[in-house]
Amino acid sequence: MTEEYKTLWLAAIDGPIPEEEARIYWNVKEDPTPVLDAALRRADYLYVGSWGDRHESEGLQSGRCPAVRIFDWLFFKGTVDRYQALLLDEELLSRLMELSQPRPGDLPTGDVPPTGFDAFLRHNAGRYLLPEEAPPA
């Protein structure tokens, strides 16, 4: 049996999204999200990586590859206190750069490390980030 992998793309959108739409997004509901859908169609995207079940962990930021650590952090910050897309400010940029670094206990994923991660974040500073499985078709 082959392990199923999840993929992580970062979507940088123009502005914040309504909290109700953010709630639907983070809870993976099928309800309409017209503001978010339009923003995702206009977004800049960067492929970050993929992971399987063996890369996940119970602890925040302790996943066994950069992509899962980044996804976990964005999910945590996007759902704690209020549902939101995260503003890409210097603090978030620094945190994402830290989480993107390989760690000694990381497991291989078969991915090539993303190129331009830092440049993508710096280019999109001031926009809002959401994790996506893939850019819209």
Side-chain angles (χ1 to χ4, degrees):
M1 186 166 107
T2 348
E3 184 175 24
E4 189 173 318
Y5 275 70
K6 298 171 189 140
T7 58
L8 175 63
W9 289 74
L10 290 182
I13 61 175
D14 297 339
I17 55 174
E19 188 170 352
E20 186 53 40
E21 288 194 23
R23 180 183 312 280
I24 292 166
Y25 173 84
W26 287 113
N27 287 304
V28 193
K29 302 275 188 202
E30 295 296 322
D31 298 340
T33 54
V35 173
L36 175 58
D37 292 345
L40 289 171
R41 283 191 298 275
R42 293 186 308 270
D44 285 344
Y45 287 87
L46 177 75
Y47 179 74
V48 176
S50 64
W51 72 92
D53 290 342
R54 65 193 175 110
H55 296 95
E56 294 182 5
S57 97
E58 295 297 317
L60 181 63
Q61 304 172 52
S62 60
R64 301 196 61 201
C65 73
V68 75
R69 285 191 294 272
I70 291 168
F71 175 82
D72 285 351
W73 181 253
L74 291 174
F75 181 84
F76 173 73
K77 295 300 280 183
T79 60
V80 170
D81 297 329
R82 68 184 183 92
Y83 290 91
Q84 62 184 322
L86 300 175
L87 175 63
L88 182 52
D89 58 12
E90 275 300 318
E91 183 179 342
L92 181 58
L93 188 147
S94 174
R95 189 73 180 134
L96 292 174
M97 290 304 298
E98 177 186 321
L99 293 169
S100 73
Q101 299 305 308
R103 295 180 182 171
D106 282 355
L107 299 173
T109 63
D111 277 335
V112 174
T115 57
F117 187 72
D118 180 57
F120 174 84
L121 295 178
R122 292 202 181 282
H123 176 74
N124 287 291
R127 297 181 85 193
Y128 292 78
L129 287 184
L130 288 169
E132 284 287 295
E133 290 181 10

